[in-house]
Amino acid sequence: HEYTRIEIPNSVTVIEEEAFVNCFGLSQITLPSCIQKIGENAFLGCGSLECIISHIPADKLFEVDAFDYINEECVLYVPYGSKSTYENTPGWNIFKEIIEVEYNASSVEEIQTKTLQSEIYYDLKGRRVTSPSPGYYILNGKKVYIK
């Protein structure tokens, strides 16, 4: 079963109503900061969606009615410092897990030679990891690499 990741380009400001309805193979979507509107039911029935990476800043966030019947375990990644705004905005507040990320998230911000027992690590899909092995993780909203 092949899954698809889509990165909406910066030239797009509106995702139309029902644009991705029933895209069962869609596993990840990245929304650029310039998105101003997401149409009703844009992602209706996207049951394989594992994560949404939103670059929309808190001061530009808008209400949505776009995420009905998506995978209920889908993780929403948001710009660092905007989590409470997302949690309090209708449509975005349906996500069980919202994780803040520093966005140059494609770049590693820290390399650790060992894990710290007191820290909580998440894999790149937002799942908590109790004993991380070498690889990439999210720690305190930053992408880290553990050697």
Side-chain angles (χ1 to χ4, degrees), residues 13 15-17 21 32 38-39 42 44-45 50 54 59 69 82 87-88 93 96 117 124 127 134 146:
T13 58
I15 297 174
E16 294 294 336
E17 190 172 303
V21 74
I38 300 175
L44 177 73
E50 294 174 354
S54 175
D59 63 337
Y69 303 105
S82 67
E87 288 173 333
N88 293 298
N93 60 1
K96 288 181 183 175
Q117 291 296 343
L124 297 183
R127 297 176 295 217
I146 298 173

Side-chain angles (χ1 to χ4, degrees), residues 128-140:
R128 190 174 178 160
V129 178
T130 50
S131 36
S133 53
Y136 294 95
Y137 297 91
I138 303 294
L139 172 66
N140 297 324

Side-chain angles (χ1 to χ4, degrees), residues 2-54:
E2 186 130 343
Y3 290 105
T4 303
R5 296 171 181 214
I6 295 176
E7 186 163 341
I8 305 291
N10 286 328
S11 58
V12 174
T13 58
V14 175
I15 297 174
E16 294 294 336
E17 190 172 303
E18 299 184 359
F20 294 94
V21 74
N22 294 329
C23 286
F24 300 113
L26 184 60
S27 62
Q28 177 180 313
I29 188 149
T30 301
L31 304 171
S33 60
C34 55
I35 292 286
Q36 298 169 6
K37 180 181 184 217
I38 300 175
E40 190 173 339
N41 297 324
F43 298 97
L44 177 73
C46 293
S48 298
L49 205 51
E50 294 174 354
C51 76
I52 296 173
I53 301 166
S54 175

